[in-house]
């Protein structure tokens, strides 16, 4: 009966949209969620992704997901560092040219967004105006490179008469974008449901500093010490360690109860994305919201891919009943 009504134009068929959020290495969980949707027979008619969500969504739409999963499961820190090209800090620590080469392993060179079999929207942020920028055409690799430009880590991307940074800055969970693409049923994957407490153990402050009540201290989330990660046995990256020492030294900062510069940057981005994500969910509620338990995953810790995928699979499995009732049974 439902199919007859659709043929007569009385009932329009539902389109399933997938909104994939930002979150660095946390976004490996997106892969497991997509696998679970396929196992349930739920089609993905369109995708909108921000930052790592744009990367995973683009690779999935381009047909490179199988290879990506295999490569991520065996990637090492040394191999990961080969795709980072450090530059003297100007607008970011990493230029991003080698990252585009990495993307080209999974997305055919020259392929455009409009050529994909699944409509794709890629979110970036205009650094000058703070407004979201959505790519619906043009080079997939170039659009993804703009979307994953983590502030302070990757150099921003020049685009027309402006500069673009990470999509997660303005739109960390692009539910509105995928709805604008015609999705009537939206599955959203949120990587920022909360912040993890305990960025560092605070010690008594030195004399002369104002005392803080416990209620005045904002809970914090531990992130990888990026300086240590990128400096570890990687030629050409010793300057990062020198910079870290120059800004005060780890022990000195710990004694003062202060995080290092990379922890400050990562935590600030997580707070920003958490707040913006809550607003997006409130104003554009998805049909089904999936929230993998990846709060403790550092932004660049891609070598834990297997464990992160397991967390994504667990969250997707827990949402099976909702996916079946609210999405699959309505198709």
């Amino acid at each position: 009966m439902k199919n007859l009504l659709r043929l007569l134009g009385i009932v329009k068929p539902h389109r399933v949209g997938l909104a994939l959020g930002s979150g660095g290495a946390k976004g490996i969980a997106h892969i497991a969620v997509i696998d679970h949707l396929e196992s349930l027979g739920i089609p993905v008619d369109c995708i909108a992704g921000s930052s790592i969500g744009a990367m995973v969504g683009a690779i999935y739409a381009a047909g490179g997901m199988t290879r990506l999963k295999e490569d991520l499961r065996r990637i090492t820190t040394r191999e990961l560092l080969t795709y980072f090209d450090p530059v003297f800090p100007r607008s970011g620590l990493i230029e991003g040219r080698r990252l585009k080469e990495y993307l080209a392993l999974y997305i055919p060179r020259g392929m455009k967004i409009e050529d994909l079999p699944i409509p794709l929207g890629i979110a970036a942020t205009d650094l000058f105006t703070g407004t979201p920028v959505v790519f619906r055409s043009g080079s997939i690799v170039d659009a993804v490179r703009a979307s994953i430009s983590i502030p302070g880590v990757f150099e921003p991307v020049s685009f027309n008469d402006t500069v673009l940074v990470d999509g997660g800055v303005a739109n960390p969970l692009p539910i509105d974008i995928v709805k604008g693409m015609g999705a009537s049923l939206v599955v959203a994957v949120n990587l920022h449901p909360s912040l993890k407490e305990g960025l560092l153990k605070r010690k008594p402050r030195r004399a002369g500093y104002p005392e803080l009540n416990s209620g005045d201290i904002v809970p914090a989330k531990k992130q990888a010490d990026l300086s240590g990660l990128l400096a570890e046995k990687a030629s050409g990256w010793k300057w990062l360690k020198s910079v870290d020492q120059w800004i005060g030294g780890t022990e000195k900062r710990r004694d003062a109860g202060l995080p290092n510069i990379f922890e400050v940057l990562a935590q600030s981005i997580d707070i920003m994305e958490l707040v913006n994500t809550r607003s997006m969910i409130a104003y554009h509620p998805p049909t089904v919201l999936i929230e993998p338990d990846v709060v403790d995953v550092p932004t660049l810790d891609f070598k834990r891919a297997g464990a992160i995928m397991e967390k994504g699979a667990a969250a997707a499995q827990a949402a099976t009943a909702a996916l079946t009732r609210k999405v699959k049974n309505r198709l």
Side-chain angles (χ1 to χ4, degrees):
M1 182 65 174
K2 184 186 298 183
N3 290 334
L4 176 60
L5 293 176
R6 288 175 178 172
L7 287 174
L8 295 174
I10 299 174
V11 176
K12 292 184 178 180
H14 284 292
R15 284 170 55 82
V16 179
L18 184 60
L20 301 177
S22 61
K26 298 177 181 67
I28 296 174
H30 290 321
I31 297 172
V33 173
I34 292 173
D35 283 347
H36 191 64
L37 293 178
E38 290 187 338
S39 71
L40 294 177
I42 296 176
V44 175
D45 297 309
C46 53
I47 304 171
S50 185
S51 197
I52 188 67
M55 175 178 163
V56 172
I59 292 174
Y60 173 64
M65 186 66 84
T66 299
R67 181 179 177 182
L68 177 65
K69 285 190 291 187
E70 294 173 352
D71 290 349
L72 284 174
R73 288 185 182 278
R74 59 171 180 260
I75 197 167
T76 63
T77 299
R78 181 180 294 275
E79 182 180 354
L80 178 65
L81 291 174
T82 64
Y83 294 106
F84 291 164
D85 37 7
V87 294
F88 184 80
R90 296 172 296 188
S91 299
L93 298 173
I94 302 169
E95 182 180 7
R97 176 178 50 83
R98 291 179 188 169
L99 190 57
K100 290 175 66 174
E101 295 175 359
Y102 176 77
L103 292 172
L105 296 175
Y106 311 101
I107 301 170
R109 292 183 182 275
M111 177 176 277
K112 297 184 180 299
I113 297 173
E114 58 267 35
D115 297 333
L116 291 170
I118 302 174
L120 175 68
I122 294 177
T125 302
D126 188 317
L127 184 61
F128 296 152
T129 66
T131 57
V133 174
V134 183
F135 288 92
R136 292 294 315 280
S137 62
S139 168
I140 302 173
V141 170
D142 288 346
V144 171
R145 168 64 183 88
S147 185
I148 60 178
S149 299
I150 303 173
V153 179
F154 293 101
E155 284 195 334
V157 172
S158 295
F159 177 72
N160 293 338
D161 57 350
T162 191
V163 173
L164 302 180
V165 294
D166 196 288
V169 172
N171 193 343
L173 187 59
I175 301 172
D176 58 333
I177 295 176
V178 80
K179 285 186 176 181
M181 295 168 66
S184 51
L185 301 174
V186 175
V187 178
V189 186
N190 175 25
L191 305 177
H192 294 280
S194 63
L195 293 173
K196 185 184 178 186
E197 299 183 17
L199 180 64
L200 50 81
K201 293 182 179 179
R202 293 179 179 272
K203 297 182 179 180
R205 291 176 174 267
R206 296 191 295 271
Y209 280 71
E211 293 294 327
L212 296 178
N213 296 320
S214 60
D216 296 328
I217 300 175
V218 179
K221 176 179 182 296
K222 183 177 181 181
Q223 289 286 1
D225 183 347
L226 184 60
S227 62
L229 174 63
L230 300 183
E232 180 184 347
K233 298 181 182 180
S235 61
W237 286 82
K238 293 182 179 178
W239 60 271
L240 267 177
K241 186 175 182 180
S242 299
V243 169
D244 188 44
Q245 293 172 343
W246 173 71
I247 61 177
T250 301
E251 291 305 318
K252 183 177 180 181
R253 287 193 306 277
R254 296 297 186 191
D255 290 341
L258 297 175
N260 65 41
I261 187 172
F262 300 108
E263 290 171 330
V264 170
L265 182 62
Q267 180 73 355
S268 298
I269 292 173
D270 278 349
I271 293 170
M272 171 191 65
E273 293 187 331
L274 172 65
V275 173
N276 287 341
T277 295
R278 286 176 175 174
S279 295
M280 177 61 70
I281 293 172
Y283 285 100
H284 299 277
T287 309
V288 176
L289 179 64
I290 299 176
E291 297 182 320
D293 181 18
V294 291
V295 173
D296 63 337
V297 177
T299 301
L300 295 178
D301 196 3
F302 287 89
K303 64 182 180 296
R304 292 171 55 188
I308 298 170
M309 278 190 252
E310 289 177 3
K311 290 177 178 291
Q317 182 64 42
T320 298
L323 288 169
T324 301
R325 183 178 73 259
K326 296 182 178 181
V327 179
K328 185 176 180 178
N329 290 347
R330 296 178 63 186
L331 296 177

